[in-house]
Amino acid sequence: MKDDTKLIHEGRTTYDHVGAVNTPVYHASTILFPTMEKYLSRSTDPSVKVRYGLRGTPTTFSLEDALTALEGGFGTVLSPSGLQAITMAIMSYVETGDHILVTDSTYSPCRAFCDNVLAKLGIETEYYDPLIGADIKDLLRTNTKIVWTESPGSQTFEVQDIPAIAAAAHEVGAIVMIDNTWSAGYYFKALEHGVDVSVHASTKYHGGHSDVMMGAIICNEHTYDRIKTISGSFGNHAGPDDVYLTLRGLRSMGTRMDRQYKNGLEIARWIAEQPAVTRVMHPGLETDPGHAIWKRDFTGASSLFGFVVEETNQKKVGAFLDGMEFFGMGSSWGGFESLLIPCFPDANRTVTDWNPCGQTLRIHIGLEDPSDLIADLEKGLKRMTN
Ligand SMILES: *Cc1c(COP(=O)(O)O)cnc(C)c1O
């Protein structure tokens, strides 16, 4: 089955629910059993699928199954946010005295978790250059439990050589995890490229409508039981209304992303030609340093990318951003609407430098007509350079 068919058909259990196309929203904590015998065998009887709300309902199973199918995983664990999915995945594999390797380009709240929480537990985080590739072997230790990757990196969009990193990590028995939010698991099949655990902010493209928080941990066979058990021990649970909204969004993700890929690349090419712009970070551009690896490993690009304007005067950059008609300013991305924000990646780096000689901006292209977005950007750049 191809991805676009999976997105439509996987995780549907229509005839278990009066023929409804979508799995309904089950609100449940207590699940009742008719006899003492049935109650006592609820954990061992394979015909019992639902035991307690915390452990999932048909609503949650539907989203889990659809995401597992999308990435070719063994099983999926949901979380109430992308960040929670990150921390659950990491916590499942570390204990005091361990060492983990985390890309310097990681989503900054992941870094904050490592520095604030793991450090207190006596777990050492070492950051590495996202472009390290096979040389990661020099940083691996006998107590290295996880190699954390994110490709392309948050805000700076470096494409990592995931197969090379995974091969080296597996030599010493480390688990390879990726924050795969950017590709949504649609354009990068992490598990087929050596990754053990693919973590998503489903808040972004999966939900796709800027109205839901959700996280997902898609595991291979080797990692699923452990992550499910530890996540359950933390009482981790995603609420049914949010699960439903995420699955509703996921059904149309293929169409949305294909359009956003095309429009994003068109706009990236236009931005790259503007005199006020010194650099565009979009791996789909032939001039991008990550283009070759992206082309080898990915089947497309999402519509989130970066660019740098030479202007650093904050008043002038503000004149650009404040007057945008179609681009909103706010955190998150992956919805149907366009966004444009300033960012300061250097504040979140410790072993590599980000000195682009200008102001870094992050742009998300939504489903608007690209000609309207280009006109809006053109006016904005004029406000900045005048
Ligand atoms: C937004 C984001 C997250 C966190 O997702 P939330 O659902 O907002 O917690 C994780 N990783 C990346 C790359 C993100 O952009």
Side-chain angles (χ1 to χ4, degrees):
M1 213 193 291
K2 303 282 194 220
D3 274 0
D4 284 339
T5 311
K6 285 183 190 165
L7 285 171
I8 304 305
H9 286 279
E10 292 286 358
R12 281 183 36 203
T13 49
T14 296
Y15 294 105
D16 295 345
H17 314 282
V18 305
V21 170
N22 297 308
T23 308
V25 181
Y26 279 86
H27 277 280
S29 51
T30 302
I31 303 296
L32 301 178
F33 296 86
T35 64
M36 187 170 102
E37 189 194 347
K38 286 220 146 83
Y39 177 73
L40 290 176
S41 64
R42 70 196 183 285
S43 299
T44 47
D45 179 350
S47 73
V48 176
K49 300 276 188 274
V50 183
R51 290 182 281 134
Y52 182 51
L54 184 68
R55 305 292 171 211
T57 68
T59 313
T60 33
F61 303 150
S62 283
L63 178 58
E64 288 166 6
D65 291 349
L67 291 174
T68 300
L70 177 66
E71 271 207 67
F74 180 78
T76 294
V77 175
L78 299 177
S79 270
S81 71
L83 182 56
Q84 171 85 351
I86 292 171
T87 63
M88 274 297 101
I90 294 176
M91 284 308 284
S92 299
Y93 275 91
V94 287
E95 59 188 50
T96 301
D98 285 344
H99 168 255
I100 69 170
L101 287 166
V102 174
T103 176
D104 210 26
S105 58
T106 196
Y107 175 64
S108 63
C110 172
R111 177 185 288 266
F113 171 76
C114 296
D115 295 348
N116 300 334
V117 181
L118 295 185
K120 268 202 287 192
L121 300 175
I123 297 150
E124 184 189 349
T125 303
E126 182 178 350
Y127 296 97
Y128 67 86
D129 182 341
L131 301 178
I132 197 167
D135 286 343
I136 197 143
K137 68 179 188 311
D138 299 332
L139 301 181
L140 290 158
R141 305 181 195 165
T142 50
N143 64 340
T144 306
K145 289 294 162 62
I146 297 171
V147 176
W148 184 266
T149 63
E150 182 179 336
S151 182
S154 271
Q155 302 191 341
T156 46
F157 301 94
E158 299 92 337
V159 182
Q160 296 195 265
D161 191 343
I162 299 294
I165 290 172
H170 287 155
E171 289 267 319
V172 301
I175 298 290
V176 180
M177 299 188 181
I178 190 169
D179 184 328
N180 199 15
T181 304
W182 186 84
S183 89
Y186 186 63
Y187 290 134
F188 181 58
K189 302 298 174 189
L191 304 187
E192 286 170 16
H193 288 82
V195 170
D196 300 294
V197 179
S198 177
V199 179
H200 288 270
S202 299
T203 306
K204 310 288 167 59
Y205 289 107
H206 293 168
H209 292 73
S210 306
D211 54 1
V212 67
M213 304 297 303
M214 186 60 56
I217 311 168
I218 299 158
C219 310
N220 64 12
E221 188 168 0
H222 174 55
T223 52
Y224 176 68
D225 282 345
R226 180 156 172 169
I227 291 178
K228 189 169 171 56
T229 303
I230 305 270
S231 169
S233 302
F234 274 95
N236 189 31
H237 173 257
D241 291 310
D242 291 342
V243 170
Y244 181 89
L245 279 176
T246 306
L247 188 54
R248 198 177 201 271
L250 191 71
R251 296 299 180 203
S252 62
M253 190 180 78
T255 316
R256 285 188 282 111
M257 287 200 81
D258 283 345
R259 179 67 71 87
Q260 283 172 287
Y261 170 26
K262 180 173 155 282
N263 291 1
L265 195 56
E266 177 184 338
I267 291 171
R269 289 195 203 289
W270 181 86
I271 291 174
E273 286 167 5
Q274 305 313 303
V277 173
T278 53
R279 181 169 170 185
V280 180
M281 293 85 78
H282 186 309
L285 295 177
E286 294 74 10
T287 49
D288 190 274
H291 183 69
I293 292 181
W294 170 79
K295 215 172 154 187
R296 184 191 70 189
D297 294 347
F298 288 64
T299 55
S302 71
S303 64
L304 184 82
F305 59 97
F307 63 100
V308 176
V309 290
E310 197 170 10
E311 184 62 71
T312 52
N313 180 309
Q314 295 296 293
K315 269 219 172 87
K316 293 209 153 192
V317 176
F320 175 11
L321 301 191
D322 291 351
M324 300 306 288
E325 190 176 357
F326 302 123
F327 288 85
M329 226 183 308
S331 298
S332 204
W333 41 276
F336 54 80
E337 83 293 9
S338 293
L339 300 164
L340 180 61
I341 55 166
C343 43
F344 304 87
D346 209 39
N348 294 309
R349 302 214 149 207
T350 48
V351 297
T352 53
D353 287 326
W354 179 256
N355 288 319
C357 304
Q359 174 67 52
T360 306
L361 301 170
R362 191 184 75 182
I363 188 166
H364 173 259
I365 302 302
L367 292 164
E368 300 92 337
D369 190 296
S371 64
D372 285 329
L373 298 179
I374 286 174
D376 202 15
L377 289 166
E378 192 164 25
K379 282 188 254 168
L381 288 168
K382 276 212 184 95
R383 283 192 301 275
M384 183 180 70
T385 50
N386 275 345

